[in-house]
Amino acid sequence: MTRTIVESKTKTAIIGFDQPFCVIGERINPTGRKILAEELERGDFSRVEADAIAQVAAGANILDINSGAVFSNKMAEDPRYADNNFVEPALMKEMVERVQAIVDIPLCIDSSVPGALENGLAAAEGRPLLNSVTGEEERLELVLPLVKKYNVPVVAISNDDTGISEDPDVRFAVAKKIVERAADFGIPAHDIVVDPLVMPIGAMGTAGLQVFTLVRRLREELGVNTTCGASNISFGLPNRHGINNAFLPMAIAAGMTSAIMNPVALPVGPKKIAEKKAEIAAAGIILPEDIDDEVFVTLFGMGSTKPRAGSEMAAIRAANFLTDNDPSGNDWIKFNRAPVKEGEGRARTGRRRRG
């Protein structure tokens, strides 16, 4: 049975056919997050730390750390900051150290810069997952020696020098090539986690079916674990959570064993609360002036003012239960149990002893 072992200093995450689905938290990534990138440029890692804590609380098994920041302001002072090969190695080391200082959970070192990958591997405690290698010859020659040197598992993305093919047979062939080349370096198949590449369903109607077919082939013919960028499937569509919540259990049923995704439902902010209150007032509904924001957003089905596990996490746990990777449904029951409020204890069960 294929099992990919990822470790922190004291904790282990197992990606495997007979294991609960492994969630790799994607939030620590400045790509497309302008505020985070600006904070990192100023040396402010508070959001990185907050994202790490929130994702672990929401149920992430591994945290992906991506160092792909662009330091626009520093470029004017020093042209070297326009080069990711200059920026990312030092930034990756700092991010890994900061995250490890506040949470003890296995890490996924994520960069396109070899120097950043090596710095992340050197700084990480335990046995991190490396993200990633592709079928491009240059990338294979750069990354696979690092995988062998540090004895770590690696995400293998199914594209090569020709780009991303829409033909699933071509993507399977690229994955097979990577597995075979890794074997030449003495890297076993159980340390390869293949990303078959999820296309947006809005652009390609067969995207879901392609992935499910690919995952089955990768499992049955190559014996490898799989992962994906889960939210890619719903890109550009309304109600993305609805699509994601259907896709993930279907992918799990097809044999997918992990995903890089956001496990956190982001909190409802003051602006949305104010807009909703104005809408309610316009409808003639009178609310208590001192109504608590958390009570308000809960009452009107808006979510929560605090980070919490997203709806995708519920879908994943349900799938774990249905595929018998959550024996007796213990994790499902625990996940759905109402939290105990501060100062309260759980009700005692069993018979009261008579005096």
Side-chain angles (χ1 to χ4, degrees), residues 16-344:
F17 300 163
D18 61 343
Q19 298 293 309
F21 193 73
C22 185
V23 174
I24 304 170
E26 69 179 8
R27 291 283 299 164
I28 305 175
N29 184 345
T31 305
R33 297 184 67 189
K34 184 178 179 181
I35 293 175
L36 176 58
E38 290 173 348
E39 289 174 348
L40 292 174
E41 187 170 10
R42 298 195 304 268
D44 179 0
F45 291 84
S46 59
R47 194 176 301 267
V48 167
E49 293 166 348
D51 281 341
I53 293 169
Q55 289 181 105
V56 172
N61 307 108
I62 298 171
L63 292 184
D64 186 273
I65 299 182
N66 184 300
S67 57
V70 176
F71 289 171
S72 303
N73 294 326
K74 288 188 176 181
M75 287 180 194
E77 305 168 10
D78 187 338
R80 290 180 299 174
Y81 282 99
D83 184 1
N84 282 80
N85 290 287
F86 176 75
V87 174
E88 289 199 42
L91 180 61
M92 176 64 81
K93 180 176 183 294
E94 181 78 5
M95 292 172 79
V96 167
E97 291 173 348
R98 294 273 186 158
V99 171
Q100 286 181 155
I102 56 169
V103 294
D104 183 18
I105 186 171
L107 302 181
C108 177
I109 309 302
D110 185 356
S111 176
S112 60
V113 175
L117 293 177
E118 180 140 32
N119 270 15
L121 290 171
E125 298 171 335
R127 190 175 196 249
L129 176 64
L130 192 66
N131 189 9
S132 58
V133 67
T134 65
E136 297 166 292
E137 286 300 323
E138 181 180 1
R139 191 72 178 172
L140 289 165
E141 293 299 323
L142 284 171
V143 177
L144 291 181
L146 285 177
V147 175
K148 180 64 176 177
K149 176 182 176 180
Y150 288 91
N151 184 29
V152 294
V154 64
V155 174
I157 301 178
S158 300
N159 69 281
D160 59 12
D161 305 83
T162 63
I164 300 173
S165 175
E166 292 187 1
D167 184 342
D169 290 334
V170 172
R171 300 209 298 278
F172 178 84
V174 174
K176 184 178 180 182
K177 170 187 173 182
I178 297 172
V179 171
E180 291 172 346
R181 289 292 300 276
D184 293 339
F185 283 85
I187 301 164
H190 64 250
D191 276 340
I192 310 294
V193 182
V194 174
D195 181 347
L197 292 171
V198 174
M199 305 292 191
I201 191 74
M204 180 188 295
T206 59
L209 293 173
Q210 280 192 6
V211 170
F212 305 148
T213 300
L214 268 169
V215 166
R216 291 188 189 98
R217 287 192 68 190
L218 290 164
R219 176 169 177 159
E220 294 168 4
E221 298 181 36
L222 299 184
V224 293
N225 281 306
T226 46
T227 195
C228 71
S231 64
N232 288 353
I233 193 71
S234 61
F235 181 79
L237 292 174
N239 189 12
R240 296 186 66 183
H241 294 294
I243 298 291
N244 297 344
N245 291 346
F247 169 75
L248 283 162
M250 293 175 76
I252 291 168
M256 187 170 282
T257 47
S258 69
I260 301 170
M261 55 177 282
N262 178 15
V264 181
L266 298 182
V268 181
K271 183 179 178 181
K272 286 190 176 181
I273 293 173
E275 289 173 350
K276 187 66 175 179
K277 285 183 177 179
E279 178 186 325
I280 290 167
I285 300 172
I286 300 173
L287 295 170
E289 292 184 4
D290 60 347
I291 188 170
D292 179 78
D293 282 347
E294 182 65 17
V295 172
F296 175 78
V297 298
T298 302
L299 182 64
F300 287 94
M302 297 174 67
S304 175
T305 59
K306 303 166 187 171
R308 59 177 183 166
S311 58
E312 286 88 345
M313 296 300 290
I316 287 169
R317 283 178 165 82
N320 286 337
F321 192 6
L322 291 166
T323 55
D324 199 28
N325 283 323
D326 175 14
S328 303
N330 291 332
D331 187 53
W332 175 253
I333 293 167
K334 181 180 177 182
F335 178 74
N336 286 283
R337 184 179 291 138
V340 177
K341 294 181 180 179
E342 190 174 345
E344 294 181 359

